[in-house]
Amino acid sequence: MIQTFDFSYPSSDRVHTIHAREWVPEGRPRGMVQLVHGVAEHIGRYDETARFLAARGYAVCGEDHLGHGLTAGGKFGYFGPKNGWNLVARDVRRLRELEGERHPGLPYVMVGHSMGSFLTRTYLIRWPGTVNAAVLSGTGQESPAAVASCKALAGALCRLKGPDYVSRTVHDLSLGAYNRAFQPNRTPSDWLSRDEKAVDAHLADPLCAFLPTVGMFRDMMGGLQFIASRANLSRMDRDTPVYFLSGDQDPVGAMGAGVRKVEGMFRSAGCRDITVKLYPGGRHEMFHEINRQEVLCDLLAWIEQAVH
């Protein structure tokens, strides 16, 4: 029987308390999987994925980032007044430390989705060699010019309106643009999945019903610049196995081209063990897609090969 329990720990911002969850299998776990969620969602959305892995012997954990889920405290989509990307990355790192203390000696895999994949890439640069394997779901890399212009716009609005200001214009130029490829649109979130029930559940989730602040966009664009730097990429542990999984109709990954771009960045940095899986017709959230059982089985098989 899988047991779940919630716990908390102090955020690196020294203000908030991070909400975290763990799914524990019966008996001694075979390994530990840390899930890192994306923008405008929360760790509770990964219950099906976590239970799948826990049923096969893996302990699973994850936290709600600053400005998200049960960590937000009602102020959604806001990391903080400054240095937000670093704060969130350090909170991800702290959970890895806590789980290492709770389950010492287990193989450790980090699985990041979307913005969580950007955070996982940040983690691989800042704390190389501290996970046994990494999975990047729904990742991508916009052009340096696009990232810089979005950061500049968000930064200007931060100075003019404050970092907790919400701009529909900034949203429409970034996240809001992803739905255009799927017109005529049934909902504003068709780009997430072909599974209409999964899309509707996301739209109905009160913990997902918010737009990010301009401060969060500024911080996230800074994160994208950090993980695109060749000097930073060279700091990664070249022997850490990395698995890229995405739909080939995911606009965040430029319909597969962006995923291949990041793969190339990792290979240029000397990474030796890279696997890429692009699912035909799949959109952004492969863990909520119509073929998610196939995706989860492939994920499990890769983890088994990578760490055992």
Side-chain angles (χ1 to χ4, degrees):
M1 182 178 179
I2 299 167
Q3 292 185 317
T4 64
F5 64 92
D6 290 4
F7 61 100
S8 62
Y9 59 95
S11 171
S12 62
D13 73 355
R14 300 182 180 180
V15 176
H16 292 85
T17 298
I18 299 296
H19 166 260
R21 181 168 297 167
E22 190 172 299
W23 293 258
V24 184
E26 288 190 69
R28 175 172 166 77
R30 305 179 57 229
M32 189 81 211
V33 178
Q34 180 174 342
L35 302 174
V36 188
H37 73 74
V39 65
E41 59 164 355
H42 56 94
I43 201 59
R45 294 192 70 232
Y46 292 81
D47 186 68
E48 182 179 0
T49 298
R51 288 182 178 277
F52 176 91
L53 294 168
R56 287 146 184 89
Y58 289 88
V60 183
C61 68
E63 42 76 44
D64 289 340
H65 308 317
L66 290 169
H68 290 76
L70 300 180
T71 295
K75 194 164 187 176
F76 290 99
Y78 181 62
F79 289 157
K82 62 179 181 178
N83 206 25
W85 192 256
N86 181 53
L87 295 174
V88 178
R90 284 164 58 189
D91 290 340
V92 171
R93 169 61 180 163
R94 183 58 185 147
L95 180 58
R96 194 272 174 262
E97 292 174 334
L98 291 170
E99 293 295 351
E101 295 166 5
R102 185 172 291 162
H103 302 284
L106 293 182
Y108 205 98
V109 182
M110 188 168 286
V111 179
H113 171 68
S114 194
M115 181 183 74
S117 77
F118 307 151
L119 286 164
T120 299
R121 288 159 59 185
T122 301
Y123 185 100
L124 293 173
I125 290 167
R126 292 193 57 190
W127 297 282
T130 61
V131 294
N132 298 97
V135 179
L136 303 174
S137 163
T139 203
Q141 188 72 42
E142 294 284 351
S143 71
V147 173
S149 62
C150 185
K151 183 182 178 183
L153 175 59
L157 287 169
C158 283
R159 292 187 293 274
L160 188 66
K161 300 279 192 176
D164 57 353
Y165 176 70
V166 174
S167 166
R168 170 64 70 172
T169 300
V170 172
H171 175 267
D172 289 348
L173 287 171
S174 53
L175 300 176
Y178 292 141
N179 222 35
R180 293 174 191 157
F182 304 99
Q183 293 176 338
N185 302 135
R186 186 182 69 88
T187 76
S189 299
D190 291 359
W191 62 281
L192 294 179
S193 173
R194 292 167 292 177
D195 186 333
E196 294 186 357
K197 289 184 178 179
V199 171
D200 291 345
H202 176 269
L203 290 169
D205 189 333
L207 296 179
C208 298
F210 64 89
L211 299 181
T213 61
V214 291
M216 184 173 159
F217 275 116
R218 174 200 62 193
D219 295 341
M220 186 162 56
M221 293 305 105
L224 280 168
Q225 289 177 327
F226 179 86
I227 60 178
S229 160
R230 287 191 177 188
N232 290 338
L233 285 161
S234 70
R235 294 163 53 191
M236 295 190 297
D237 183 343
R238 297 177 180 183
D239 293 322
T240 300
V242 181
Y243 177 35
F244 292 83
L245 74 89
S246 288
D248 73 356
Q249 295 301 302
D250 177 8
V252 175
M255 309 309 189
V259 182
R260 293 294 185 184
K261 178 180 179 180
V262 181
E263 175 199 4
M265 292 161 60
F266 273 58
R267 292 194 185 278
S268 294
C271 294
R272 299 183 176 97
D273 190 344
I274 296 177
T275 303
V276 180
K277 179 78 173 184
L278 295 175
Y279 291 91
R283 298 184 186 179
H284 184 53
E285 294 191 342
M286 291 309 306
F287 296 133
H288 295 97
E289 259 290 5
I290 56 175
N291 61 324
R292 56 185 169 272
Q293 283 301 308
E294 174 194 7
V295 175
L296 291 172
C297 287
D298 289 346
L299 172 66
L300 177 66
W302 184 85
I303 290 175
E304 299 268 300
Q305 176 270 327
V307 301
H308 293 295

